[in-house]
Amino acid sequence: MRESAKASAIFQTAHDLFQQQGCHKTTIRQIASGAQVSLGLINHLFHSKADLAFHVLNMLMQYSLDRVAEDVDEKNDPMLFASASTRLSFHFLFEGPYRRFYLECLEDDVFFRALSGLENTSIYRIAGQYGIEKNDDLFLLYGKFLPYN
């Protein structure tokens, strides 16, 4: 198996185990066994279980953003896109089969690491759409009254 195929097997196994039993109960040894790779390869490719959880969570968040983009044009209605993507992400992660994994990611700050890795284009699109000056106050307003995506 090529390294990219092994990385995919690790990622898929981690995803499945995180969904089934959460991050805390999943061990690197279980992931290695399920992906049929060595513990060393997992550490080489992903560095830690938290790093692997970050990549899985990031993929899930991107998936929900892509689903919203199928129905809402972010360029034409950035406010609706930001609100819909936040609502769908919350519903998808909190109320579905990923609930335990999501809550553990919140507890371990994996969620905020993943969130900070996403480019925040919504605030700039909202400002541009409605002719609002882009400054620090806009970020404070956005953070207080609009949901983060």
Side-chain angles (χ1 to χ4, degrees), residues 57 60-61 64 86-106 111:
L57 183 61
L60 294 171
M61 292 171 67
S64 65
T86 300
R87 179 63 186 125
L88 180 62
S89 292
F90 177 78
H91 177 72
F92 177 62
L93 294 171
F94 190 72
E95 297 173 356
Y98 295 102
R99 178 182 170 85
R100 182 183 315 140
F101 172 65
Y102 175 65
L103 290 174
E104 290 171 354
C105 285
L106 285 173
F111 174 77

Side-chain angles (χ1 to χ4, degrees), residues 34-49:
Q36 299 178 349
V37 299
S38 69
L39 292 170
L41 182 62
I42 293 176
N43 287 325
H44 171 70
L45 294 174
F46 294 99
H47 309 294
S48 68
K49 184 171 72 169

